[in-house]
Amino acid sequence: MKPYSRTETVWQRMNDEERAACHAYGDRYKTFLNVARTERLASREIVRQAQAAGFRPLSECTALHPGDKVYYHHKHKSVILAVIGTDELTTGLKMVGSHIDSPRLDLKANPLDEKEGLVFLRTHYYGGIKKYQWVTMPLALVGVVVTRDGASVDVAIGLDADDPVLYITDILPHLGQTQATKKVGDAITGEMLLPVIGGHADGDTSAKDMILRLLADKYGIEEEDFTSAELEVVPAQDARDVGLDRAFIMGHGHDDRVCSFGNLEAILAATPGRKTQVALFTDKEEIGSYGNTGVNSSYVVDFIMDMLALCGHDDHRALRDTLRHTEILSADVTASLDPTFADVMERNNASLTGYGIALTKYTGSRGKSGSNDANAEFVGKVRKIFNDNNVPWQIGELGKVDQGGGGTIALYLAAWGCEVVDCGVPMLSMHAPLELVEKADAYAAYLAYRAFFESN
Ligand code: MN
Ligand code: MN
């Protein structure tokens, strides 16, 4: 396949066999999306697939040898997989870092309320959302509740086809005159994102107490248990093909599970090589990589130090050498040019839908503020890997210089001294409840990450 073109799409460049592989990949990816609805469920599914492929917990290892496959599951929300290479770790790792958290609505600590016969949940949105997009659509409630006695209870409402779902109301157009005069960002506010969860009073029992009784019956939880819970409201809709030609996939959380799935399939398929391959699936990217499950904490470096110790390196210089020689693809989505909103992009430097994985030298806002500006030498090295291995790739700046901006985990990884460049799937409707990716671009991510893992 021709690796770089601004005139021929990836579909045009693929042969029949490659097109079939791409559609099969899309089917596996949709299955992953339907299982991996939250960072907890995603990390659990990644660990399940890794275990099936022979990965063992790093904590059970007493030494590491070339070809060993190890993993670390961090606080149920982040995962690291590694395949040990034949070269010393101190010569650097080949890492692909993606994130498994996505924008959504979290429940507040005291969420249940009843008004005018409606029982609803109070939410606090997580990540950058356009609030008006979350109304009048089927929603699911997924997460964990820690009960009074310390037990963890998994909750999932709305994911099975015959489950009830939650629903956020909007005003009818007949009475929407005042709303229609507001700015789109003010029409629906954060405090208005109130998923309805019930409305069935019975005799002297209020509708809210009926819901509490159902929750007690099904999950053994009581109202105070919400104070120690992480419950996320996400779209109940399964991932689906879009287009008669099935060119696209619509689903919740392509950002960044489309890169995470490519990362996972790539490390499971990659041939072990000279360099140690590391696939990172992190949490908390959408709120700035903070918290002890985000990359702005110590767990990734701790994992690297643990691997070094198992290879007989306990001194700080070994860690410094390893980080200094480590090469990382920051695997996160970018925006592709949407013809409906073409004026926010500068076409020559925008990612195009269906033209492959996007290499983004810098992100940030305005004058590259908050950006990891990748070194030309490293971008050149990655570009050569993609060209040599027929990976369909393109360049992609996020948008027009003065239009806004954004960031990824790249700058935090670069702060350790590693070489890092952003490299992810271009997409449409980013951060919407249901986002859109081109199947060929998703497949290109897998090809890119695999080629990178297998390079020296
Ligand atoms: Mn992202
Ligand atoms: Mn994002």
Side-chain angles (χ1 to χ4, degrees):
M1 186 180 349
K2 199 195 294 177
Y4 183 90
S5 171
R6 295 286 282 182
T7 54
E8 264 185 294
T9 68
V10 177
W11 290 114
Q12 286 173 294
R13 288 179 252 162
M14 286 193 286
N15 61 32
D16 286 348
E17 200 180 318
E18 288 163 332
R19 274 190 278 265
C22 179
H23 281 295
Y25 179 86
D27 288 341
R28 292 197 299 282
Y29 173 48
K30 281 180 286 178
T31 304
F32 176 80
L33 276 181
N34 294 342
V35 174
R37 302 273 185 164
T38 65
E39 62 279 18
R40 285 176 184 268
L41 294 177
S43 74
R44 201 180 289 173
E45 173 63 12
I46 289 163
V47 168
R48 187 192 69 77
Q49 290 199 27
Q51 285 173 336
F55 284 73
R56 295 181 302 143
L58 187 69
S59 58
E60 290 178 7
C61 298
T62 52
L64 290 177
H65 307 286
D68 282 356
K69 298 172 174 181
V70 295
Y71 74 86
Y72 174 57
H73 194 179
H74 181 58
K75 296 185 186 291
H76 313 288
K77 295 179 185 176
S78 298
V79 188
I80 310 173
L81 309 181
V83 180
I84 309 302
T86 52
D87 285 1
E88 287 270 352
L89 293 177
T90 49
T91 65
L93 315 169
K94 287 279 178 181
M95 190 189 298
V96 177
S98 54
H99 69 90
I100 49 178
D101 62 316
S102 298
R104 74 225 178 201
L105 310 179
D106 287 342
L107 291 202
K108 291 189 184 184
N110 196 7
L112 263 182
D113 211 345
E114 178 176 352
K115 266 187 191 163
E116 313 296 351
L118 295 168
V119 185
F120 50 83
L121 296 166
R122 296 200 176 275
T123 63
H124 195 134
Y125 58 93
Y126 172 99
I129 64 163
K130 291 161 83 173
K131 286 156 240 172
Y132 72 85
Q133 294 177 330
W134 286 78
V135 299
T136 66
M137 67 184 301
L139 298 166
L141 184 66
V142 189
V144 65
V145 176
V146 178
T147 61
R148 187 181 289 277
D149 61 5
S152 283
V153 180
D154 285 328
V155 170
I157 299 168
L159 296 185
D160 287 339
D162 55 350
D163 265 5
V165 294
L166 311 186
Y167 179 93
I168 300 172
T169 59
D170 195 2
I171 196 163
L172 61 168
H174 318 64
L175 299 176
Q177 291 282 32
T178 308
Q179 185 194 50
T181 63
K182 291 182 177 172
K183 286 190 204 157
V184 75
D186 300 331
I188 299 288
T189 64
E191 297 293 350
M192 291 162 78
L193 295 175
L194 302 168
V196 172
I197 192 172
H200 198 317
D202 188 9
D204 290 340
T205 310
S206 71
K208 178 185 163 185
D209 285 339
M210 289 294 288
I211 292 300
L212 282 169
R213 192 182 292 176
L214 289 169
L215 289 171
D217 288 348
K218 185 164 185 193
Y219 295 109
I221 57 179
E222 58 183 19
E223 188 167 15
E224 192 185 304
D225 291 334
F226 280 114
T227 58
S228 51
E230 286 179 340
L231 291 167
E232 305 179 14
V233 176
V234 295
Q237 170 71 53
D238 278 350
R240 294 187 69 160
D241 285 345
V242 170
L244 294 183
D245 53 6
R246 300 183 178 275
F248 302 91
I249 297 173
M250 171 198 76
H252 173 247
H254 285 316
D255 178 6
D256 182 36
R257 291 177 201 133
V258 68
C259 297
S260 294
F261 184 69
N263 193 2
L264 175 63
E265 287 234 337
I267 198 162
L268 296 186
T271 306
R274 282 173 47 192
K275 300 292 181 184
T276 292
Q277 303 157 348
V278 179
L280 165 66
F281 307 89
T282 193
D283 181 32
K284 293 287 184 285
E285 191 279 339
E286 293 296 353
I287 57 168
S289 296
Y290 302 112
N292 63 12
T293 55
V295 288
N296 206 6
S297 70
S298 63
Y299 79 94
V300 184
V301 172
D302 289 344
F303 175 85
I304 295 170
M305 285 197 287
D306 286 346
M307 285 201 298
L308 283 166
L310 289 169
C311 294
H313 294 291
D314 270 323
D315 59 307
H316 85 277
R317 280 173 302 180
L319 176 64
R320 182 204 63 193
D321 289 346
T322 304
L323 293 175
R324 188 175 287 174
H325 296 121
T326 287
E327 296 177 341
I328 305 179
L329 297 184
S330 166
D332 205 345
V333 295
T334 189
S336 61
L337 192 148
D338 185 337
T340 309
F341 305 100
D343 56 333
V344 300
M345 297 276 193
E346 185 268 290
R347 193 183 186 282
N348 281 357
N349 288 285
S351 304
L352 305 177
T353 308
Y355 285 77
I357 186 95
L359 207 49
T360 302
K361 186 176 183 297
Y362 47 84
T363 57
S365 303
R366 300 171 307 280
K368 302 191 181 181
S369 178
S371 167
N372 161 62
D373 199 349
N375 296 314
E377 291 84 352
F378 183 52
V379 178
K381 184 171 179 180
V382 173
R383 175 182 157 215
K384 184 169 187 325
I385 292 168
F386 291 170
N387 281 336
D388 289 350
N389 291 280
N390 300 316
V391 172
W393 70 280
Q394 57 181 325
I395 48 93
E397 193 169 333
L398 187 60
K400 277 186 181 167
V401 175
D402 292 328
Q403 193 64 44
T408 64
I409 62 172
L411 72 159
Y412 302 108
L413 310 177
W416 304 334
C418 311
E419 292 293 339
V420 191
V421 66
D422 281 297
C423 177
V425 177
M427 63 176 301
L428 298 163
S429 307
M430 192 193 295
H431 284 203
L434 298 168
E435 305 168 315
L436 197 65
V437 296
E438 166 85 60
K439 226 178 257 183
D441 293 332
Y443 185 58
Y446 157 74
L447 297 176
Y449 304 151
R450 182 173 175 176
F452 181 74
F453 280 137
E454 292 177 342
S455 65
N456 290 315

